[in-house]
Each structure stands twice: as C-alpha cells, then as structure tokens.
Amino acid sequence: MSNAAKYTHGHAESVLRSHRSRTAQNSAVYLLPHLRPGLRLLDVGSGPATITADLAELVAPGTVTATEMNEEAVAITLAELERRGVRNVEAVVADVHALQFESDSFDVVHAHQVLQHVADPVAALREMIRVCRPGGVVAVRDADHSGFVWYPQLPALDQWLTLYQTVARTNGGEPNAGRRLLAWAHAAGAADVTVSSSTWCHAEPESREGWGGMWADRILNSAITQQLLTSELAAQRDLESISEAWREWAAHEDGWISILHGEVLIHVH
C-alpha cells in the first residue's frame, strides 16, 4: 500500500485472530473455479496468509507471489506459510500502486480486503491488470461496511460502525469499497467484468463469540484504539461501552450479523 494511506487495522493479536479465520473457501469461493494446478498467482495484501496458503495448494506446482506493505507484515505471512509447510510461495514487500513486476507476469491476481485501505483503488487495479497476462483474471473482494446488519440493534454498535468508518476515511480509505468495485474496475479500463456479492454470517454461539469477542478486544487494544483516542473522536469510556456491547451481542441467543462483500472478476484480454 502507498504511504499516502494509513492501514486502519494494524497487526494486534485481535486483528490477526480475525484475519486468520479467513480461508479460500469462506473468502474467495468466487475465484476457485478459475484455479488449476500450474498457474502463477499474485496475492496482493497476503496478511497472515491463511487464504494465500490455500490458494498456493490449489495452484501447486504453480507458484504464488505474496505481497505486503512492509517487512513486519511479510514476516507475518511467512510465519503461517512455514507453519503449514507451504513451499511454493515467495513473500515480498510491494506497493500495489506501483508493482515491481513485469507486465503479463501472472495468470491470476488476487486481493482480499485491500482496496478499501489504499489511497487510489483505481490506480491499484490498473497495476493489477497490467501484471496479469491476457486470458487471466484479476479477482478482488472487499467488505461494504454500510451493508453490515445485525440483531439485537444495540446503540453502542451503531456508534462502533460510525467511528470505524470515520477513522477509515481519515486514513485515506473507503470502508464501503464493496459497492464501488465495479465502478473502480471500469475506471481502471476493465471491460469484461463478472460481478457478485457474498456475506459472512455469524449466528451460531461459537461463531458469534469469535466475531463479537474479537471486536470486544480489538476496540480496546489495537491500532484503531489509539487512532480514536488521539483524534478525540471517542473517549475511553466510549470504547469500553462498545466492547461491552459486542460481548452482550455475542452472548445473546438471538445474536446475528451479516457482513456484506462485493466481488469482481476482471477477465484480462
């Protein structure tokens, strides 16, 4: 990512706990029919590499190049790849606005929850299209935070969403990226685009505890905590109220949340 935009989430344990729950099956199913052994794949913004490792296994003996914004994030990617014994992935630092790879280098270019954080999503997509060979696909999936809906509708959770969106935009991102992916693809020059949407849904007790417990911790001890306090958008008591609300939601037997995502597959010609 460009230094012109600040990554809202950071790499606190609570953040990585959430990101490590992502798999190719629950986060990239729209891409899976386009994968086969032997392909060369670029994974932009690999994070803790749970999706990356899945994709690497699907294209093996093909190779994956995973990119992250700095060496700290690359180390997080490499740790998961080492843990799983995945050997066909190279992880490097890269700026998605100015990728260091030659044109037509990859059969598949993938980015999950990346464009919502970058300074110029259209420029990023142009670069992703440039490095994808003709006949290949660029696959992008991003959340759309205004499309999150939940029950019970606790006021502190409405405050959480407002605060999150404010911080994300202050950092130069667009938290409602999901609905804009098609427009960004068209602006980047893509003419052949397959569009879809999908959701994560948390309603079973264990799933609710995973999501609600994660945000209960994350609002009190992650990068967004200091951003909110330093900017005086929220006081400590506000964050504690939000944390308590997430725990209340997770414990509620009727608790339910649907998390909307937009998806685009750009077919490169």
Side-chain angles (χ1 to χ4, degrees):
M1 295 176 198
S2 167
N3 290 332
K6 181 178 180 180
Y7 183 49
T8 300
H9 297 314
H11 299 101
E13 182 280 329
S14 56
V15 175
L16 295 178
R17 188 194 323 161
S18 172
H19 292 180
R20 287 183 176 122
S21 70
R22 300 171 182 174
T23 66
Q25 192 61 46
N26 67 29
S27 300
V29 71
Y30 72 109
L31 171 61
L32 300 188
H34 300 270
L35 301 182
R36 64 180 186 275
L39 294 181
R40 187 179 185 201
L41 185 146
L42 175 66
D43 192 24
V44 177
S46 49
T50 49
I51 297 175
T52 313
D54 287 350
L55 298 178
E57 291 170 357
L58 290 169
V59 301
T63 60
V64 173
T65 300
T67 75
E68 259 300 346
M69 60 190 300
N70 54 42
E71 293 291 352
E72 176 191 6
V74 165
I76 292 169
T77 291
L78 290 172
E80 176 65 13
L81 297 172
E82 179 66 24
R83 187 190 72 81
R84 286 182 53 169
V86 177
R87 303 299 181 206
N88 60 327
V89 181
E90 175 190 24
V92 298
V93 174
D95 178 358
V96 68
H97 299 91
L99 294 169
Q100 63 265 46
F101 312 112
E102 293 184 3
S103 299
D104 306 338
S105 292
F106 300 94
D107 301 296
V108 178
V109 181
H110 170 261
H112 185 261
Q113 314 289 27
V114 171
L115 293 190
Q116 63 185 282
H117 298 294
V118 305
D120 190 338
V122 174
L125 277 172
R126 286 196 189 106
E127 277 294 272
M128 293 168 71
I129 293 168
R130 178 186 65 79
V131 301
C132 187
R133 67 165 181 80
V137 293
V138 174
V140 178
R141 183 176 191 255
D142 267 277
D144 192 301
H145 283 74
S146 287
F148 291 17
V149 291
W150 59 80
Y151 182 86
Q153 293 175 281
L154 306 175
L157 299 189
D158 293 331
Q159 183 186 21
W160 161 78
L161 183 58
T162 298
L163 289 172
Y164 177 82
Q165 294 207 14
T166 300
V167 170
R169 292 193 172 102
T170 299
N171 289 338
E174 176 45 69
N176 291 343
R179 70 188 66 186
R180 290 171 165 80
L181 294 182
L182 178 59
W184 289 341
H186 286 161
D192 187 354
V193 186
T194 301
V195 186
S196 56
S197 66
S198 61
T199 62
W200 293 329
C201 183
H202 301 291
E204 296 297 322
E206 183 177 354
S207 183
R208 286 200 313 270
E209 175 54 34
W211 180 263
M214 174 273 296
W215 264 111
D217 294 340
R218 189 164 163 180
I219 199 66
L220 293 178
N221 187 25
S222 72
I224 196 171
T225 311
Q226 294 308 312
Q227 293 172 61
L228 287 167
L229 295 175
T230 301
S231 65
E232 298 185 345
L233 287 168
Q236 183 67 32
R237 63 180 177 276
D238 298 317
L239 305 187
E240 290 171 358
S241 176
I242 291 168
S243 178
E244 291 169 4
W246 275 119
R247 295 200 186 281
E248 179 182 349
W249 173 85
H252 200 293
E253 64 178 4
D254 299 324
W256 177 94
I257 189 169
S258 178
I259 300 168
L260 177 66
H261 294 80
E263 301 161 344
V264 293
L265 274 171
I266 298 170
H267 306 273
V268 179
H269 297 284

